[in-house]
Amino acid sequence: MMLLSLRRAAVAGLVLAGALAAPEAAGAPAAADRYLDCSASTAGSGSEQSPWNSLAQANGHTFGPGDRLLLKRGATCEGTLKPKGSGSAKAPVLLAPYGAGSARPVVAGEAAGTEKAAVHLYNVEQWEISGIEITYRDTGATKRERNGLLVEIEDLPDGVGSHYRVDDVYVHDVNGDATKQSNGIQFRVSGTRTPTNFDDVLVSDSRISRVDREGLTNYSTWMCRPEYGTGDGCGSKVNWRANTRIVFRGNTINDTGGDGIVVRAAEKALVEHNTAYDLAMRPMGANAGIWTINSDHTTIQHNEVHHVRRLKDNNDGMAFDADYGNKGALFQYNYSHDNEGGFMLFCGACGAGSSATGTVVRHNLSVGDKSRWLFAVGEKDAQVHHNTAYLPKGSTTAIIQQGAGSSLTRLSGNVFHNLGSGGYTGFGDNAYRPGDFTWRGNVLSGNHPADEPADPLKVTADPRFVEQDGRAAADYKLAEGSPARGVGPVLADGGEDYFGTPLPRVCHPDAGFHQASTVDDAQCTPGTLIRNGNFETGSLSPWTTYGGTALDSGAHRGSGAVRTGRSPAAAEQVVALEPGATYRLTGWGRVSTPGTELSLGAKAYDDQGSTVRTAFTGTAYREGSVRFTTGADTSTARIYCYARGGEGNGFCDDVGLVKE
């Protein structure tokens, strides 16, 4: 299991530095420290020698730029901390511990109280919180709205609540109800008069445990737009206002009644390096691990999510979810395992009149997820590429199930190593509609059920993981000689794999979440549709062979070529093409001995089964090329390197195919 929650000392340093900064304006009151020790026997003045001893004293004070509210380590304050006053851009207010030892100060919501939160920052800005413990434990009471930390802004005059830092905070045992107003930590925009949003929120390296319903979230009443549909009373109203610069980083969330982390009504939010597990542990509706709804360009990356429950008669329970109202959500570099509801949910059509578009799911690892790998319930244009999914023996997980609504999805360069019996395309009411899905260049290995997709470029061999049935992400790297190497579609945007290895932009990358091969884009033909055409991946996959055909070191360029011979012997590859289009096939060829003939060509590219080829008879490499046009109803061609005659061997290298 990965340890993804990373302590960020730099953040803590910035918090402290900001808190100690001088007030901005000349003549402004000097910043001051106020001390609170709820174990003190008498109510003091707020100095270190004479601290306050109740939350009421702290709540009665108005804090200003650069002030610090310091809570005594090891002391517990019962009730709700609801301070007044704001910091400034250069001098935020700091809430932090003081005193010797490592015990945290505790704020415990009052058992018989009626407040919404144990710590409630209401209509204040420029606050930073560090190192405290928060709980709202009252297991005997009737469940109602309760939060550990609630940061709430409502109808602010300028419409923006700015700069909030929550670092190294421990929230636990919050006895909330089943509504999504009960959370461990929530940033909430309320009100209906003045359009309002958060800007510049960071929650980092904090722990949220045993809370109902949700773990770490944001929420807004300014959320209505056509993509969101008629949910939450929106009807035809449009009032969507994005929260900006929302970052949830390095946190650990476990034992929630419902969701782990949720992003709502945000633009370019970032959720990264979090660990979320044992979620949806109590009956509280439909829940997922980490998800986004009604937001634009949310990035969810480098997270680990495991053991999300799927309750009876509930369709959720997956690790990740691109819900309705989203545009351009990105899920990358995540590790999902052992989730009862599966790996991913597309839920664009989950709300009346709602939609979602542009979701990208790439470079993720899924191990042993249950029910289905992808549950598709509405998406206008999703790309799912270069993910690795492993389903062990005994699994009944389907690769795809589909609900109501169209889910137009392109799947390419993924590795699905399915040793279970669940099939690829769901069943019953959740059987998918083939027209919604395009499969290209995926590894579909393990069991091969009747509903295996008709991917024209698929590889069906075992991808050969480093350590199958392992628990660490690195166990699912591609081993030497893996047939998944060099078979993925070309990625024009390059980028990195799960482990940070750069991906080729011209050469074909490896399939799955791991780029094992070292390739040089300078040795590949730009835009080529041929996979592993330079034979540099250490194997011949995805070329199929017959006769005396093998990988050879006698290359035109680089270290590898394909050797065919003696006749008849060939290497062949089926490529997906456009009907009625013209293509140019190029490559370098030679023979080992005079009198031998080698052909590089294409066949079965039209209804007549036509063939075109260029021939090589010399012992030195030379380049050859040939053109062909596909038939009106033909979408594939078979490219071949063929020892056509003679006693020697033929060699092909740097084979490329481009559309003209």
Side-chain angles (χ1 to χ4, degrees), residues 346-364:
F346 293 162
C347 212
C350 287
S354 65
S355 65
T357 187
T359 301
V360 176
V361 181
R362 65 186 185 189
H363 310 304
N364 301 285

Side-chain angles (χ1 to χ4, degrees), residues 49-75:
Q49 294 75 27
S50 178
W52 295 331
N53 74 342
S54 71
L55 293 175
Q57 286 184 283
N59 294 340
H61 181 78
T62 299
F63 294 87
D67 287 350
R68 299 196 300 174
L69 173 57
L70 304 174
L71 278 59
K72 180 67 177 294
R73 289 187 179 277

Side-chain angles (χ1 to χ4, degrees), residues 219-255:
Y219 181 86
S220 178
T221 53
W222 298 91
M223 60 188 174
C224 296
R225 59 177 178 172
E227 294 86 351
Y228 195 60
T230 61
D232 290 310
C234 283
S236 60
K237 178 171 63 176
V238 176
N239 71 348
W240 191 81
R241 183 176 171 107
N243 296 281
T244 54
R245 295 196 289 172
I246 305 292
V247 179
F248 298 153
R249 174 184 292 139
N251 305 288
T252 300
I253 296 96
N254 78 296
D255 197 354

